[in-house]
């Protein structure tokens, strides 16, 4: 399927009501058709894997074409330069998170780029770093616990960042590490307890929200079931 054909299909799915709703959730609406995630998934399934088309979709610069790019790209063909170029163009949390969840975390560079991006100042690049940590915590079943203990250092270092999209991603990463297994759970709780003592409003918010979930019965039961 060509880029032109895809854009024509997306234009036919334009949803002004959805566009208005997206703005309320902090999603940029300057260049979007308001197409739902379900519709994009269906279209991506029809397209199939296509690395070169994914690059064209990304460069088209439309919200939906960029989300589609993450769905259809081949993780094995993605190099660090592409990841950096795409991350540097992030301007909305949904595109950022979609790329991290559906594409970047599947690449061989996932852990290296996650740590690199947590040190960056750009709001959505830093968010991408912590979104990567969060999604790797769920999906990378082979990674050693030591990898995620190191990520807790990154979380502690950046938890004072007051920017909304950063602090929410830091919180997300902390919670996912704590839910990964019974070994990591106490490490995550200890970091959250330390953050709760800081003067930073961002750190205290991250801590309060994370501890509420990590100390909840559902999470405690889940990590106990996973064993040590």
């Amino acid at each position: 399927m060509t880029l032109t054909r895809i854009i024509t299909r997306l234009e036919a799915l334009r949803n002004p009501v959805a566009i208005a709703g997206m703005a309320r959730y902090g999603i940029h609406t300057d260049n979007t058709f308001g197409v739902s995630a379900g519709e994009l998934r269906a279209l991506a399934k029809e397209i199939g894997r296509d690395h070169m088309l994914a690059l064209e979709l990304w460069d088209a610069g439309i919200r939906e074409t960029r989300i589609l790019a993450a769905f259809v790209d081949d993780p094995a063909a993605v190099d660090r330069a592409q990841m950096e170029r795409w991350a540097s163009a992030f301007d909305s949390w949904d595109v950022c998170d979609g790329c991290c969840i559906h594409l970047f975390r599947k690449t061989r560079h996932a852990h290296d780029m996650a740590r690199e991006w947590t040190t960056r100042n750009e709001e959505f690049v830093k968010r991408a770093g912590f979104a990567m940590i969060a999604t790797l915590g769920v999906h990378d079943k082979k990674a050693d616990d030591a990898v995620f203990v190191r990520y807790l250092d990154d979380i502690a270092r950046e938890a004072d960042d007051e920017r909304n999209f950063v602090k929410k991603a830091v919180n997300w990463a902390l919670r996912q590490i704590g839910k990964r297994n019974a070994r990591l759970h106490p490490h995550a709780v200890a970091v959250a307890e330390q953050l709760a003592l800081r003067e930073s409003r961002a750190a205290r918010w991250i801590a309060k929200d994370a501890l509420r979930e990590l100390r909840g019965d559902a999470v405690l039961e889940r990590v106990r079931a996973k064993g040590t």
Side-chain angles (χ1 to χ4, degrees), residues 1-4 6-7 47-62 64-87 89 99 103-104:
M1 191 180 298
T2 66
L3 175 63
T4 300
I6 292 169
I7 292 176
I47 295 168
R49 292 285 185 194
D50 190 327
H51 176 62
M52 297 308 297
L53 178 59
L55 298 179
E56 291 185 62
L57 286 164
W58 183 266
D59 288 340
I62 303 166
E64 284 77 8
T65 62
R66 289 191 163 180
I67 293 173
L68 274 176
F71 280 134
V72 306
D73 206 347
D74 178 3
V78 176
D79 60 20
R80 295 170 66 102
Q82 178 186 335
M83 294 174 73
E84 180 62 34
R85 184 167 67 87
W86 286 22
C99 282
L103 179 62
F104 289 167

Side-chain angles (χ1 to χ4, degrees), residues 51 58 66 95 131 170 176 188 213-214:
H51 176 62
W58 183 266
R66 289 191 163 180
V95 176
V170 173
Q176 292 308 131
E213 181 171 11
L214 295 178

